[in-house]
Amino acid sequence: MTAAEHHIVPRQPPSSGSSGSAGSSDSTGPTGSAGAPGDGGGTPPQDRRRVIRRRLITLTIIVLLIGIPAGYLVISAGQSRRSGKDKEAEAAAQGLREDWPSGMQRRIFELPIPGNAIGVQYYETNNWKASRMYVKFRTTSAGLDRFLSGMGTGRAALETGKVTIGERDIKITGWYFGPGVDWAGTVHKNKDPRPTQNITVNMTDPAAPVVYVVSAATP
């Protein structure tokens, strides 16, 4: 085939669409990358006032959660102490009751008062520390032995000249433990929650001893 027979294809001019797309691709790249920060890609720093306010609110909540229960316990304890003192003062004002303690009271405070006891007096006080039963009665020599053995002790435990009732209980009861009387006493201790009894006996008349007892039980 001769050169004359070759078909000559005319050069096509560049289309406007191709140049536009090329220009578009060249422009979108820089424009998109430049606009990224403006589209929210970064996180702006929190406002300092908002952080401080949030911390203060959290601290206030913690203080309230801890402080309110603690304050309630303190107030309750104070009320219990005042209530206990009021009850003791009321009992002291009323004085010993001329009667026998109930069967339940005698069992709780472990006071086996003999059946032949006379002049029985008692009263009970309660507070947040302990409950106390104060009892006084006159009995016979055999009745004293029954009373002591019923508590788990005996006459041999009584120490001559010893008064085991404390000053606090003396002020509450008004009992007298001064000179001129043949006193004998003992302390019968038990493990909690069983009561402990402070026993003092007027042995001036051995045939008719007068028994004073303070039985204290810790709740």
Side-chain angles (χ1 to χ4, degrees):
M1 181 180 295
T2 63
E5 295 177 334
H6 284 285
H7 295 285
I8 299 174
V9 179
R11 181 177 295 177
Q12 299 294 327
S15 64
S16 59
S18 59
S19 61
S21 60
S24 174
S25 61
D26 293 342
S27 61
T28 53
T31 304
S33 60
D39 293 339
T43 303
Q46 286 186 324
D47 182 59
R48 183 173 180 81
R49 293 180 182 176
R50 184 179 301 174
V51 173
I52 295 174
R53 188 183 303 113
R54 185 179 302 167
R55 290 178 179 175
L56 287 175
I57 293 173
T58 302
L59 180 61
T60 302
I61 293 173
I62 293 173
V63 171
L64 291 175
L65 290 175
I66 297 175
I68 291 177
Y72 176 77
L73 291 176
V74 171
I75 293 172
S76 297
Q79 290 176 342
S80 297
R81 286 193 292 269
R82 287 193 297 271
S83 176
K85 291 180 180 180
D86 291 343
K87 288 181 179 179
E88 288 187 355
E90 180 181 355
Q94 293 175 353
L96 293 168
R97 181 180 301 178
E98 298 279 350
D99 199 355
W100 283 59
S102 68
M104 180 176 292
Q105 288 174 315
R106 281 176 274 163
R107 285 192 297 272
I108 292 174
F109 291 96
E110 299 186 18
L111 295 170
I113 302 173
N116 64 352
I118 60 174
V120 180
Q121 300 176 349
Y122 83 97
Y123 68 78
E124 179 184 356
T125 63
N126 299 279
N127 61 32
W128 65 289
K129 286 185 177 180
S131 297
R132 287 180 173 81
M133 174 67 72
Y134 300 83
V135 173
K136 174 186 175 183
F137 61 88
R138 183 183 294 272
T139 185
T140 62
S141 179
L144 175 61
D145 290 332
R146 289 196 300 273
F147 174 70
L148 294 173
S149 63
M151 286 195 301
T153 184
R155 191 185 290 257
L158 294 175
E159 297 183 35
T160 302
K162 186 173 184 179
V163 175
T164 60
I165 308 297
E167 290 295 331
R168 174 184 178 279
D169 296 320
I170 291 174
K171 290 179 180 179
I172 291 175
T173 59
W175 289 338
Y176 171 81
F177 296 106
V181 179
D182 294 334
W183 300 110
T186 186
V187 177
H188 182 243
K189 294 183 178 181
N190 291 304
K191 292 183 179 180
D192 292 338
R194 293 181 59 193
T196 293
Q197 296 94 1
N198 288 53
I199 308 162
T200 299
V201 184
N202 180 346
M203 297 294 295
T204 304
D205 183 356
V210 180
V211 182
Y212 301 82
V213 188
V214 179
S215 181
T218 302

